[in-house]
Amino acid sequence: GRHTLFDIHVWGELTAAAGGKAKVYAALRAIELSLRDAALTLAGSALVLIRMASTRVLLDPDGRTLHGVASFRILTQET
């Protein structure tokens, strides 16, 4: 099989009123749950496994925006 890594990015406001880090982490978790057992169609390959490898939330240079990154590892097999 073939191993591939990919990232999905989300952004949110730093303010407590906007939900801050908790909202960004919740979005990353929702993405993970939606992809975990997804039946994705790939051209020329079959999806064997998809799992989240890591998450991180960073402060963007503007000092007001949170930048969340979810890194995924997928295993595919040629069809």
Side-chain angles (χ1 to χ4, degrees), residues 27-62:
L28 295 173
R29 178 75 172 145
I31 292 166
E32 175 194 14
L33 293 175
S34 68
L35 290 176
R36 179 179 286 170
D37 296 313
L40 302 176
T41 302
L42 307 171
S45 297
L47 179 64
V48 176
L49 180 72
I50 183 168
R51 290 292 180 253
M52 183 182 281
S54 67
T55 59
R56 56 200 176 279
V57 176
L58 314 161
L59 185 61
D60 267 4
D62 68 6

Side-chain angles (χ1 to χ4, degrees), residues 12-21 23-24:
E13 292 181 51
L14 178 61
T15 65
K21 278 190 179 182
K23 193 168 184 179
V24 173

